[in-house]
């Protein structure tokens, strides 16, 4: 294949790149005729906001690369079409990886989410008023220098400034009252302007999870996340509609979150390519291949079974499907099309990265999960849930109710190689 074409494929298949609903590469796995992830949580989130008589705070999660940001962009469009003003902000740009999360970090992120980028003079009148109020509050509380525009730039570009500001806020008296008052004023001003205000705070779930720390230190990071929403949840329920993205390990304490924060935790499942009996779902496989063809057209595959086989190996994790294709790009050389040989070599390489991180305790738990499709209820197994989800070795699906499975790339290692589909099966498969 020509280098220019391969370069296009690499650019089109970036695993970490969120795709907006307007992007030609977007594929809606939750379309009514598919429903491959159960009932779309964007519809539930929108319904809660539409039917609420007062501001709501909702929690969503899912594995990295599963499509949360794309879902939130679809939610944004859905709410905007119904006459709401929706602010989608990346909280990940403000939060640190090096220290446990504090409630004040998220409160400050909420303030910055509504703070206009660029010159406030270019914003709506009520946004300019909010920016001036927020600037006055921040300048007085944390002694930041600079004008209205400069304060936001400082907090966004210099992580240490944000940390210092959040630390100062932790010692402030009446912090919740002041921040809630700021946000209430913004919500009321937007309402007077004819639009109900909604804040989608994305990206926070990628930060402060302690992934690279040893177990005890990582548990401390996780406990801070739980504490922010279970113990200090009132601080994070401001007088404006908010949707937070949170780390997937929080599903382990979903019942406590619902009881104490007052919101169910919505988990974005994988695309369903297998059913609960580990049989291929033809509709799911076909959908994944059609989504792939939006990035790498069908004529670049030597036969129909190759993209289907890749889809089956991904377990419905579209990020891994893109990783497979990217690896094939590096292997194809002068061959005119991607073949089964390229597919097998690419999958083998990605599979190795999973198996190298698969410790004995993981194997023991996953060997129970795969046949039962449920997570073991023993306490020791529950402690493995965080690392299995965070490490993408275990997926969550939804088909009437939630269920789990090991990543198909681990099945052979767990002793379930017979459950993997053959090339012959994929040749005959029809969606």
């Amino acid at each position: 294949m020509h280098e220019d074409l391969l370069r296009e494929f690499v650019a089109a298949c970036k695993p970490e790149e969120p795709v907006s609903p307007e992007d030609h590469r977007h594929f809606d796995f939750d379309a009514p005729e598919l429903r491959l992830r159960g009932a779309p949580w964007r519809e539930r989130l929108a319904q809660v906001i539409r039917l609420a008589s007062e501001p709501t705070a909702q929690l969503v999660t899912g594995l990295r690369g599963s499509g949360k940001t794309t879902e939130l962009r679809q939610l944004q469009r859905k709410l905007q079409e119904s006459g709401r003003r929706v602010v989608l902000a990346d909280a990940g740009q403000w939060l640190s990886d090096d220290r446990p999360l504090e409630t004040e970090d998220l409160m400050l992120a909420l303030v910055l989410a509504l703070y206009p980028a660029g010159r406030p003079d270019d914003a709506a009148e009520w946004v300019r008023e909010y920016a001036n109020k927020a600037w006055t509050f921040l300048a007085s509380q944390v002694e930041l220098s600079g004008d209205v525009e400069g304060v936001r730039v400082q907090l966004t570009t210099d992580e240490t400034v944000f940390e210092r500001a959040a630390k100062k806020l932790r010692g402030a008296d009446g912090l919740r009252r002041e921040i809630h008052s700021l946000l209430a004023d913004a919500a009321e001003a937007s309402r007077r302007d004819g639009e109900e205000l909604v804040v989608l705070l994305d990206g926070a779930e990628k930060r402060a999870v302690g992934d690279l720390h040893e177990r005890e230190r990582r548990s401390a990071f996780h406990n801070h996340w739980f504490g922010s929403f279970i113990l200090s949840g009132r601080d994070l329920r401001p007088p404006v509609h908010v949707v937070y993205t949170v780390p997937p390990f929080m599903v382990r304490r979903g019942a406590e979150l619902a009881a104490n924060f007052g919101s169910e935790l919505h988990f974005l499942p994988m695309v369903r390519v297998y059913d609960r009996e580990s049989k291929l779902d033809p509709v799911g496989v076909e959908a994944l291949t059609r989504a792939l063809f939006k990035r790498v057209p069908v004529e670049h595959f030597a036969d129909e079974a190759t993209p289907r086989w890749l889809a089956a190996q991904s377990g419905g994790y579209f990020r891994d499907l893109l990783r497979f294709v990217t690896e094939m790009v590096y292997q194809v050389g002068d061959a005119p099309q991607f073949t089964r040989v390229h597919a097998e070599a690419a999958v083998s390489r990605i599979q190795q990265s999973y198996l190298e991180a698969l410790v004995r305790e993981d194997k023991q738990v996953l060997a129970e999960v795969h046949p039962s499709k449920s997570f073991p209820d023993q306490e020791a197994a529950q402690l493995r849930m965080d690392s299995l989800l965070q490490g993408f070795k275990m997926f969550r699906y939804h088909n009437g109710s939630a269920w789990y499975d090991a990543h198909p790339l681990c099945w052979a290692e767990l002793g379930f190689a017979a459950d993997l589909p053959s090339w012959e099966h994929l040749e005959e498969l029809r969606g």
Side-chain angles (χ1 to χ4, degrees):
M1 289 190 193
H2 195 280
E3 267 196 12
D4 288 345
L5 183 61
L6 295 177
R7 193 175 293 113
E8 288 179 16
F9 293 159
V10 171
C13 294
K14 294 177 181 176
E16 301 296 335
E17 180 186 13
V19 172
S20 71
E22 294 77 24
D23 194 299
H24 74 277
R25 296 171 295 171
H26 174 64
F27 187 92
D28 189 4
F29 295 105
D30 300 317
E33 68 274 14
L34 295 176
R35 289 290 192 260
L36 290 168
R37 295 187 290 197
W41 54 240
R42 65 175 181 264
E43 292 186 3
R44 174 61 181 269
L45 299 176
Q47 186 180 37
V48 168
I49 291 169
R50 286 198 310 269
L51 300 181
S53 57
E54 58 188 21
T56 61
Q58 301 185 75
L59 305 176
V60 297
T61 192
L63 299 189
R64 183 174 297 186
S66 60
K68 294 186 300 299
T69 298
T70 298
E71 280 286 295
L72 289 176
R73 287 177 177 173
Q74 289 180 276
L75 173 64
Q76 180 183 32
R77 185 171 67 177
K78 190 178 187 70
L79 291 172
Q80 287 172 337
E81 289 171 350
S82 64
R84 289 165 176 81
R85 183 185 183 92
V86 185
V87 176
L88 175 56
D90 177 15
Q93 66 184 315
W94 300 310
L95 304 181
S96 171
D97 288 319
D98 300 328
R99 61 181 178 83
L101 179 88
E102 301 287 351
T103 305
E104 291 77 12
D105 293 328
L106 291 173
M107 296 175 76
L108 180 53
L110 280 173
V111 172
L112 292 176
L114 295 181
Y115 207 106
R119 296 187 61 80
D121 294 344
D122 301 329
E125 182 178 351
W126 76 262
V127 177
R128 294 198 301 272
E129 290 178 3
Y130 170 81
N132 282 307
K133 289 179 182 178
W135 174 77
T136 301
F137 164 72
L138 291 172
S140 64
Q141 291 288 345
V142 299
E143 301 173 358
L144 295 173
S145 59
D147 58 12
V148 175
E149 181 183 1
V151 165
R152 190 185 198 282
V153 171
Q154 284 184 68
L155 290 166
T156 300
T157 59
D158 192 332
E159 195 174 84
T160 59
V161 174
F162 182 92
E163 289 181 18
R164 178 164 54 85
K167 185 176 181 180
K168 279 267 196 176
L169 291 176
R170 282 196 286 281
D173 292 330
L175 177 64
R176 181 180 67 248
R177 182 183 67 252
E178 291 220 41
I179 288 183
H180 283 204
S181 177
L182 264 176
L183 298 175
D185 288 349
E188 178 57 32
S190 181
R191 197 175 296 114
R192 287 197 304 269
D193 217 22
E195 297 177 313
E196 189 173 12
L197 184 61
V198 181
V199 180
L200 310 180
L201 204 60
D202 189 23
E205 80 287 353
K206 301 172 185 174
R207 303 297 183 203
V209 293
D211 281 347
L212 299 180
H213 294 278
E214 46 80 31
R215 181 179 298 179
E216 186 174 338
R217 177 68 170 152
R218 186 167 60 248
S219 293
F221 275 74
H222 290 190
N223 286 336
H224 274 257
W225 267 102
F226 288 124
S228 291
F229 289 95
I230 293 176
L231 301 179
S232 306
R234 188 168 60 147
D235 295 344
L236 298 178
R237 297 188 65 91
V240 61
H241 293 293
V242 183
V243 176
Y244 298 95
T245 56
V246 299
F249 59 73
M250 293 184 73
V251 71
R252 180 161 50 88
R253 297 176 69 176
E256 289 175 81
L257 287 167
N260 292 280
F261 187 66
S263 172
E264 299 292 338
L265 175 57
H266 301 280
F267 197 111
L268 184 63
M270 295 294 103
V271 176
R272 192 175 63 251
V273 291
Y274 294 93
D275 62 21
R276 294 191 183 195
E277 283 71 48
S278 303
K279 304 299 183 184
L280 276 176
D281 183 324
V283 176
V285 174
E286 176 65 18
L288 274 175
T289 58
R290 284 193 285 134
L292 179 58
F293 293 156
K294 286 176 171 283
R295 300 168 188 254
V296 181
V298 59
E299 62 265 23
H300 298 291
F301 293 92
D303 69 324
E304 293 182 2
T306 298
R308 292 177 191 155
W309 188 80
L310 294 171
Q313 299 295 320
S314 76
Y317 189 21
F318 196 63
R319 174 179 175 269
D320 272 356
L321 184 55
L322 297 181
R323 291 176 71 198
F324 296 158
V325 174
T326 300
E327 185 60 34
M328 289 168 67
V329 166
Y330 299 135
Q331 297 184 22
V332 69
D334 295 329
Q337 293 175 303
F338 295 119
T339 67
R340 297 182 184 188
V341 172
H342 299 133
E344 289 177 341
V347 168
S348 178
R349 185 176 178 87
I350 304 302
Q351 180 183 42
Q352 192 58 38
S353 67
Y354 280 105
L355 297 184
E356 286 173 350
L358 199 63
V359 299
R360 182 181 63 183
E361 292 84 354
D362 289 343
K363 294 179 184 179
Q364 291 172 342
V365 173
L366 292 177
E368 290 187 53
V369 169
H370 176 64
S372 69
K373 301 299 186 288
S374 61
F375 203 83
D377 57 7
Q378 304 99 312
E379 183 176 356
Q382 289 289 325
L383 295 175
R384 305 294 313 168
M385 179 182 277
D386 297 351
S387 64
L388 291 172
L389 286 172
Q390 291 286 99
F392 317 108
K393 303 163 199 167
M394 182 177 73
F395 296 150
R396 182 178 168 111
Y397 298 89
H398 204 286
N399 186 189
S401 60
W403 49 283
Y404 295 91
D405 201 353
H407 193 312
L409 294 183
C410 301
W411 289 2
E413 183 71 13
L414 300 173
F416 301 106
D419 288 344
L420 292 167
S422 66
W423 282 105
E424 291 72 24
H425 187 181
L426 291 161
E427 286 173 352
E428 300 168 357
L429 193 69
R430 291 291 182 270

